[in-house]
Amino acid sequence: MHNNVVGTCEFMCPTAEIQMRERENLLHTFEVLESREKMKRPRADRSKAVKEFTRSAAGRSDPRPSDLRPTSVLVKTVDYLLERIVPKQDVKWHKIYDFVADRLRSVRQDIVIQRLAGPEICLVFIKCIRFYLYAAYRLCEVPVSLFDPHLNGRQAIECMKASLLHFSSLEVPLLAELQELESLYLLFNLGSLDALMHVYESSADVRSCARVQLALAVNETYLAGNYVRFFRLVKKLHFLDLCAVHRHIPQMHNLALNRMSVAYNSKIHGYPMEHLRPLLMLDSTDKVAELCMRHNLLVKEGQIYFLKAAWKESGLANPVKWIFCQEKDRKTAQTSMQLVQLLLIGGSTAVS
């Protein structure tokens, strides 16, 4: 464990690291001085260079104060990443994700090393959580070789748990942010007793707010396996809450098809795909057909033939962008400024 050390670095990236990365040609394209970007060894733009994440290693000396950023610089760094890098449209977003996720991890590392706390640190964690959840939705259809949803999910969970601890130590609670955090934590961990108990043990102001109550209702239908009511409630969630619950949708799709294979078991009468599509909140009958065929269900001339005997268990499909989630995506993050606002200040529950 590091002794309490107070950071003195006033830049987003320490001078020593910039010099090392210039020397070793390790600067990211987002950090290069524009006038030198085509040079063999480009120079760093001090206003764009951001400290990289580095793993702790045995035998490595404790970090120097000059290598650590104080709270004000960490806040500036996170805001820079979300305001200037995330909305870029001239770079593939999975590359933006790689850069921002690494730099946010470095921010969190500086917080841990210095044992920083307080309302500003709580807001830093909330902004990180919003980014991870938004990335999980935006990149859900990207190949695993370009985006690892499990690693991203692990970062989100670590961030949520750290954030809950930091919020619990505040003398004056940030009520709106705490309500958002409890909702996101429960929806991201549907079915988790720990997440559910954390909500029930929270203050009445948090537990009784509309956003948390809706998250509790979604969790209840998830546990009960009531897929019809689950999807009806999910449509009422705020966009970021949709991003949080997004990873659980394949499981609910499988449950729905399994139950329907029993309820609509027939070799003669088919079930119209066009009726099933909105029930499962998918944006095309092609996705409905693909999902059904994964479970050995016959799809023919726009009809699905549910046969209990033909049902085959299958691994969960990768999440896809649901039609109502896409619509809220367009409404909530259709411009760069709206995306920045979403990640910096979040938002309230929005019903379609």
Side-chain angles (χ1 to χ4, degrees):
M1 179 65 71
H2 300 288
N3 296 323
N4 276 356
V5 56
V6 178
T8 60
C9 177
E10 293 300 321
F11 297 97
M12 294 190 294
C13 187
T15 300
E17 180 179 320
I18 286 181
Q19 293 172 344
M20 180 277 292
R21 290 207 276 135
E22 283 181 336
R23 185 172 60 252
E24 301 294 332
N25 202 20
L26 296 175
L27 292 173
H28 194 281
T29 54
F30 294 157
E31 303 173 310
V32 172
L33 200 63
E34 290 185 9
S35 61
R36 303 289 189 93
E37 60 186 354
K38 294 184 179 180
M39 295 180 63
K40 187 175 181 180
R41 289 187 182 278
R43 298 289 301 277
D45 184 333
R46 291 300 298 260
S47 67
K48 297 179 180 178
V50 184
K51 182 180 178 181
E52 284 185 319
F53 171 76
T54 55
R55 296 185 180 278
S56 300
R60 179 177 293 177
S61 59
D62 287 345
R64 299 167 298 182
S66 60
D67 292 332
L68 297 171
R69 297 159 292 181
T71 297
S72 60
V73 179
L74 294 175
V75 170
K76 172 188 172 184
T77 301
V78 172
D79 288 351
Y80 166 78
L81 292 169
L82 300 184
E83 289 178 5
R84 301 296 183 88
I85 304 299
V86 168
K88 283 181 175 290
Q89 297 181 350
D90 57 342
V91 183
K92 290 186 178 179
W93 211 80
H94 68 84
K95 294 183 178 180
I96 291 173
Y97 169 84
D98 288 341
F99 178 80
V100 174
D102 176 86
R103 277 23 178 204
L104 289 180
R105 201 171 177 189
S106 174
V107 166
R108 290 160 47 207
Q109 187 178 52
D110 277 15
I111 291 172
V112 171
I113 292 173
Q114 298 176 82
R115 301 179 190 176
L116 298 175
E120 289 182 307
I121 295 300
C122 288
L123 293 178
V124 163
F125 276 113
I126 280 286
K127 291 171 186 176
C128 292
I129 292 166
R130 290 171 187 152
F131 169 78
Y132 292 129
L133 297 182
Y134 175 72
Y137 162 71
R138 179 159 180 170
L139 296 175
C140 69
E141 296 177 346
V142 170
V144 175
S145 59
L146 300 178
F147 171 71
D148 186 341
H150 299 293
L151 177 59
N152 182 73
R154 190 159 67 243
Q155 296 302 315
I157 287 289
E158 289 177 5
C159 224
M160 289 179 185
K161 290 183 175 180
S163 187
L164 289 168
L165 285 174
H166 279 271
F167 269 90
S168 67
S169 67
L170 292 180
E171 293 182 5
V172 180
L174 300 170
L175 185 57
E177 287 77 10
L178 184 54
Q179 291 170 345
E180 177 184 0
L181 175 60
E182 291 286 3
S183 176
L184 294 175
Y185 185 54
L186 180 58
L187 292 169
F188 195 69
N189 297 283
L190 286 181
S192 164
L193 181 60
D194 175 71
L196 183 60
M197 290 306 298
H198 204 283
V199 173
Y200 283 134
E201 292 169 359
S202 63
S203 68
D205 287 339
V206 172
R207 192 172 57 253
S208 63
C209 81
R211 186 168 185 173
V212 174
Q213 283 293 306
L214 181 55
L216 284 167
V218 171
N219 185 67
E220 181 182 350
T221 60
Y222 175 85
L223 290 172
N226 187 341
Y227 62 88
V228 175
R229 187 161 186 264
F230 174 85
F231 283 114
R232 285 175 182 168
L233 290 175
V234 162
K235 285 199 294 183
K236 299 179 180 180
L237 293 172
H238 170 259
F239 177 66
L240 279 172
D241 290 346
L242 283 171
C243 294
V245 81
H246 187 239
R247 68 177 185 157
H248 299 286
I249 295 305
Q251 183 177 344
M252 295 306 287
H253 279 165
N254 284 12
L255 175 66
L257 293 179
N258 181 269
R259 296 275 176 86
M260 293 179 78
S261 292
V262 176
Y264 297 96
N265 182 45
S266 174
K267 294 181 179 180
I268 302 173
H269 300 290
Y271 190 99
M273 277 201 297
E274 192 52 46
H275 289 181
L276 184 58
R277 182 189 61 76
L279 179 66
L280 300 182
M281 302 305 171
L282 293 171
D283 62 359
S284 71
T285 53
D286 287 343
K287 287 182 179 179
V288 175
E290 181 183 351
L291 186 61
C292 290
M293 288 188 289
R294 285 176 63 90
H295 295 284
N296 202 37
L297 298 175
L298 177 63
V299 178
K300 183 179 179 182
E301 297 178 353
Q303 302 285 314
I304 302 161
Y305 292 86
F306 289 107
L307 296 174
K308 184 170 59 175
W311 170 266
K312 181 184 72 174
E313 285 293 340
S314 175
L316 296 181
N318 292 328
V320 295
K321 294 183 178 180
W322 333 318
I323 184 169
F324 63 91
C325 198
Q326 288 179 312
E327 180 62 24
K328 288 191 177 182
D329 190 6
R330 286 192 289 269
K331 291 178 180 177
T332 308
Q334 60 185 340
T335 69
S336 297
M337 287 307 298
Q338 286 172 311
L339 175 55
V340 168
Q341 184 181 35
L342 175 75
L343 299 179
L344 290 181
I345 65 174
S348 59
T349 304
V351 181
S352 293

